[in-house]
Amino acid sequence: MRFASTRGQAPEVGIDDALAAGLAPDGGLYVPVAIPQAGMDHAGGTLAETATALLAPYFAGSRLQSQLPAMCRAALDFPVPLQPLNHPGDYLLELFHGPTAAFKDIGARFLAEALSRLRAPDAPDTTILVATSGDTGAAVGAAFHRREGFQVVILYPDGRVSPRQAHGLGCFGDNVQALRVDGTFDDCQRLVKQALTDSALRETLTLGSANSISLGRLLPQMAYYAHAALQFRAEQGTSLNFIIPTGNLGNALAAWLARSMGLPIGEIVLASNANDALPRYFAGADYLPQAGKATIANAMDVGAPSNFERLRWWHADDASVRAAMTACSVDDDGIRQAIKAAQARHGVVPCPHTAVGLHALADSRARGDERPWAVVATAHPAKFETVVEPLVGHDVVPPPALADALARPAAATPLGLDYADLRDWLLEPIATA
Ligand SMILES: *Cc1c(COP(=O)(O)O)cnc(C)c1O
């Protein structure tokens, strides 16, 4: 399989080069030039087996081709259950049972398996730069922590992640450093993009990216959609529709890609917080990237979703993009209501992001929609206890992996918005603990 840049000014590459580069040299995002058909029509098998089958066509001709089953087994070794809620047709697809309690673990762990297997043993260290609105950084940090040949630098918006998220970003040490940036997630993303396209910097440092722009994260995320949809069709005989809490559009794009490969996925709804560039676009307005607004679903505080560029590339025009999915937006009050309603109606406590999706589901049910819907549960509520606990009136107990991270000391270095400061910091020899 060949991969092209969305901006059309860079040569096509194979997956190994696309994974190593992250961003294409023209600043675009890599996309497979064709979408293969999965030819998977039966359920059964593990998540890792589903992932292997789905990813195989993308890794045809790769140095990793024969290692793909082992990579999927190593990366996707925790459950992703489709939990029925107590209203018929309502489900949660729980993606928060990994080491950092958010769905980002799936892509980050697969990417780490891929990059460490692609690395030549005598190569200089790769510095992975990652901008995070909260969860990606921890997932990437955990996936690369103490991996030979890698340094990880995490940039997060200071004061805009939950206290437990901040702790989880700064708690690694060793080869993983956290920078708390005096700005928004979009600022962090811009700084990372600037570094990745700084050819002078790249003469000195081998850089890699781990944002959702990386195919190594995007592609494996198809696996849980495929797995749940195949299981659902085997049991219920129909396609499963998905409501996906959306920020940078990586998770939802994976669902769209899985559906395009022929998996029995019905409608895709993007559920946004008050950052509504996508809902406005899907309602017919021009796509207008905005500055990120702070909300209580902070991992989705993205005003300029990077993966929109991929979605647009695969479609002939805006009308066909708009036919592919729909989008809605809910503000913080709506999120708070949805958290309380989930507890009252379903007896579950969602994280604020998952609550954005549950709000969208409640709206569809109120309109009389009786189709089966799975809301993607993107993080564990204990990561956002300062939002969730006052609303539900009791403590939310962290899962064991999160409790371990919280028990370790944490530290982060402050960083301003001037790119030169990041460049200078990167060029200083990274202190290893
Ligand atoms: C990253 C994240 C999202 C948004 O996912 P995208 O792929 O950026 O659209 C939603 N919820 C949680 C908890 C996240 O960490």
Side-chain angles (χ1 to χ4, degrees), residues 102-104 135 245-252 299-300 351 353 378-379 384:
F103 81 91
K104 305 292 200 309
D135 291 325
T246 292
N248 218 12
L249 196 52
N251 200 4
M300 294 159 37
C351 86
H353 314 83
T378 50
F384 305 93

Side-chain angles (χ1 to χ4, degrees), residues 130 132 153-161 166-167 169-170 177-184 187-188 191 410-417 422 425:
V130 52
T132 184
V153 178
I154 300 167
L155 283 76
Y156 71 88
D158 199 5
R160 291 179 179 232
V161 305
H167 195 103
L169 294 167
Q177 312 282 319
L179 297 176
R180 49 187 178 87
V181 174
D182 184 16
T184 62
D187 293 320
C188 297
L191 288 167
T413 306
L415 186 78
L417 288 180
L422 174 62
W425 189 86

Side-chain angles (χ1 to χ4, degrees), residues 41-428:
D41 41 19
H42 54 277
T46 61
L47 178 67
E49 285 161 357
T50 304
T52 304
L54 273 177
L55 294 174
Y58 299 96
F59 283 80
S62 157
R63 280 162 51 209
L64 298 173
Q65 188 168 4
S66 66
Q67 302 180 55
L68 190 58
M71 287 161 57
C72 291
R73 277 196 304 274
L76 309 179
D77 62 348
F78 51 86
V80 288
L82 182 65
Q83 298 285 12
L85 294 172
N86 59 4
H87 177 279
D90 291 3
Y91 297 84
L92 277 182
L93 178 59
E94 290 184 0
L95 303 183
F96 53 68
H97 298 285
T100 69
F103 81 91
K104 305 292 200 309
D105 281 323
I106 289 140
R109 287 164 65 78
F110 183 85
L111 179 70
E113 290 298 325
L115 293 187
S116 53
R117 286 159 198 260
L118 282 172
R119 177 176 179 270
D122 53 350
D125 277 15
T126 298
T127 301
I128 304 276
L129 292 178
V130 52
T132 184
S133 54
D135 291 325
T136 287
V140 171
F144 283 92
H145 189 211
R146 298 186 179 151
R147 258 184 208 259
E148 172 97 29
F150 292 92
Q151 303 289 334
V152 175
V153 178
I154 300 167
L155 283 76
Y156 71 88
D158 199 5
R160 291 179 179 232
V161 305
S162 83
R164 281 187 179 165
Q165 279 179 313
H167 195 103
L169 294 167
C171 75
F172 295 104
D174 306 310
N175 61 332
V176 181
Q177 312 282 319
L179 297 176
R180 49 187 178 87
V181 174
D182 184 16
T184 62
F185 167 69
D186 293 310
D187 293 320
C188 297
Q189 190 154 254
R190 176 180 53 75
L191 288 167
V192 165
K193 275 198 184 179
Q194 233 169 323
L196 291 173
T197 51
D198 179 343
S199 45
L201 180 67
R202 298 195 83 143
E203 277 170 21
T204 317
L205 282 182
T206 306
L207 296 180
S209 113
N211 281 105
S212 66
I213 55 175
S214 169
L215 283 173
R217 285 187 44 201
L218 180 66
L219 296 176
Q221 290 175 173
M222 292 190 292
Y224 41 81
Y225 291 108
H227 200 66
L230 288 170
Q231 177 200 330
F232 187 80
R233 195 182 54 187
E235 288 165 9
Q236 312 275 336
T238 65
S239 309
L240 185 55
N241 305 291
F242 287 96
I243 296 173
I244 307 173
T246 292
N248 218 12
L249 196 52
N251 200 4
L253 193 65
W256 176 85
L257 201 55
R259 186 177 71 187
S260 304
M261 289 181 72
L263 274 303
I265 293 168
E267 276 196 42
I268 296 172
V269 174
L270 312 179
S272 301
N273 59 21
N275 290 278
D276 59 357
L278 292 170
R280 281 169 187 270
Y281 169 80
F282 279 93
D286 286 342
Y287 175 67
L288 274 186
Q290 306 163 354
K293 285 187 215 120
T295 76
I296 58 171
N298 63 34
M300 294 159 37
D301 290 349
V302 183
S306 326
N307 280 297
F308 182 77
E309 194 167 323
R310 283 194 169 112
L311 184 65
R312 185 64 188 80
W313 188 87
W314 270 306
H315 292 87
D317 52 27
D318 289 316
S320 50
V321 179
R322 292 184 182 119
M325 47 185 82
T326 57
C328 56
S329 160
V330 56
D331 64 13
D332 282 356
D333 281 344
I335 298 174
R336 291 192 188 94
Q337 278 166 24
I339 292 172
K340 287 191 194 162
Q343 154 143 304
R345 195 177 309 151
H346 298 299
V348 298
V349 176
C351 86
H353 314 83
T354 307
V356 172
L358 286 166
H359 193 278
L361 176 60
D363 278 354
S364 318
R365 295 292 180 229
R367 288 194 303 268
D369 185 333
E370 290 180 354
R371 294 170 299 170
W373 285 99
V375 172
V376 178
T378 50
H380 192 283
K383 264 186 133 164
F384 305 93
E385 88 288 5
T386 51
V387 173
V388 171
E389 287 177 352
L391 294 168
V392 299
H394 61 78
D395 288 357
V396 182
V397 180
L402 188 57
D404 282 355
L406 293 171
R408 298 201 293 271
T413 306
L415 186 78
L417 288 180
D418 189 350
Y419 168 63
D421 292 344
L422 174 62
R423 186 195 55 212
D424 293 349
W425 189 86
L426 289 170
L427 288 171
E428 278 174 28

